Amino acid sequence: TFSLRLLLWRPVKRFAGDYILRRGFLDGMPGLIVSVAVSWYLFLIEVYIWELSQTKTQAVVARRLQ
């Protein structure tokens, strides 16, 4: 299920884990770029899940109205 909290929290948590805890900052700019890219990818996955849930909900509502 979709949660706005998770949509915003998971990418931030992943960035902190990759860049700070796994010491991505020691790699300099490449470490920052990889950490941001992975966080952005995770954000896009969450948005896609939200889109799927919206489409599914709209399809169910449309069927009930027919």
Side-chain angles (χ1 to χ4, degrees):
T1 62
F2 173 76
S3 167
L4 181 60
R5 180 180 55 87
L6 291 178
L7 174 70
L8 299 175
W9 176 245
R10 282 184 180 163
V12 171
K13 181 180 166 187
R14 181 63 182 253
F15 176 81
D18 286 348
Y19 192 68
I20 297 169
L21 297 178
R22 295 181 73 198
R23 299 179 186 172
F25 60 88
L26 294 177
D27 294 329
M29 189 58 74
L32 177 64
I33 291 171
V34 168
S35 297
V36 168
V38 169
S39 297
W40 178 248
Y41 178 70
L42 191 58
F43 173 77
L44 292 177
I45 290 172
E46 293 294 328
V47 169
Y48 181 67
I49 291 171
W50 174 76
E51 286 179 340
L52 286 176
S53 71
Q54 294 299 312
T55 304
K56 194 179 214 182
T57 303
Q58 290 173 358
V60 168
V61 169
R63 275 191 227 135
R64 287 183 182 173
L65 292 176
Q66 290 179 347

